[in-house]
Amino acid sequence: MQANSARVVDEWLPVKDWSTEAVEEWHADAPVPYCWTYHSVPGAGDWVGTSRCSCSLCVFASRHDVLLSIGRRPRLADLYTEVQQVRGDSFRADWRITIWSGTPRPVECATPA
């Protein structure tokens, strides 16, 4: 906890400063479940899925995470592509989802129940 005369700041999420390896190691023995999105496919346990847990097709996600999301949710990606084409908008200022239109999906993953 940090404090001064004006405010008190609690450190309530220390894991945000951990490395990915530290999180994996902690989860190996922890009785706490974590989100399946960190796996290549649900239940794989390989930690090669998304680098962070966020919305599907998040504008703040890395390209790897967006490609993985396109493979996991192709209909949503097609909808985003259609919206981009109709409105003339970009998914992000630096690139558009339509660059993957007509190409094989990068990853085919099962949808979790």
Side-chain angles (χ1 to χ4, degrees), residues 91-105:
F91 175 67
R92 290 182 4 182
D94 57 341
W95 52 280
R96 302 167 61 91
I97 286 183
T98 54
I99 64 173
W100 292 291
S101 293
T103 60
R105 300 292 181 195

Side-chain angles (χ1 to χ4, degrees), residues 77-98:
D78 290 343
L79 180 60
Y80 273 54
T81 298
E82 185 177 340
V83 169
Q84 282 186 156
Q85 291 170 339
V86 169
R87 293 185 51 149
D89 291 338
S90 288
F91 175 67
R92 290 182 4 182
D94 57 341
W95 52 280
R96 302 167 61 91
I97 286 183
T98 54

Side-chain angles (χ1 to χ4, degrees), residues 50-52 54-73 77 80 91-92 95-97 99-100 106-107:
T50 58
S51 61
R52 62 193 199 100
S54 64
C55 301
S56 291
L57 300 174
C58 177
V59 297
F60 299 114
S62 67
R63 287 180 187 238
H64 166 80
D65 289 359
V66 170
L67 285 169
L68 193 58
S69 294
I70 288 171
R72 289 176 171 170
R73 310 231 14 230
Y80 273 54
F91 175 67
R92 290 182 4 182
W95 52 280
R96 302 167 61 91
I97 286 183
I99 64 173
W100 292 291
V107 177

Side-chain angles (χ1 to χ4, degrees), residues 5-66:
S5 61
R7 65 183 180 162
V8 173
V9 178
D10 289 319
E11 182 67 34
W12 61 274
L13 191 59
V15 72
K16 70 179 174 33
D17 295 323
W18 292 7
S19 67
T20 302
E21 292 77 24
V23 173
E24 290 175 29
E25 185 178 315
W26 184 84
H27 271 292
D29 298 321
V32 180
Y34 56 93
C35 186
W36 65 270
T37 64
Y38 296 114
H39 296 174
S40 57
V41 294
D46 55 13
W47 290 86
V48 296
T50 58
S51 61
R52 62 193 199 100
C53 192
S54 64
C55 301
S56 291
L57 300 174
C58 177
V59 297
F60 299 114
S62 67
R63 287 180 187 238
H64 166 80
D65 289 359
V66 170

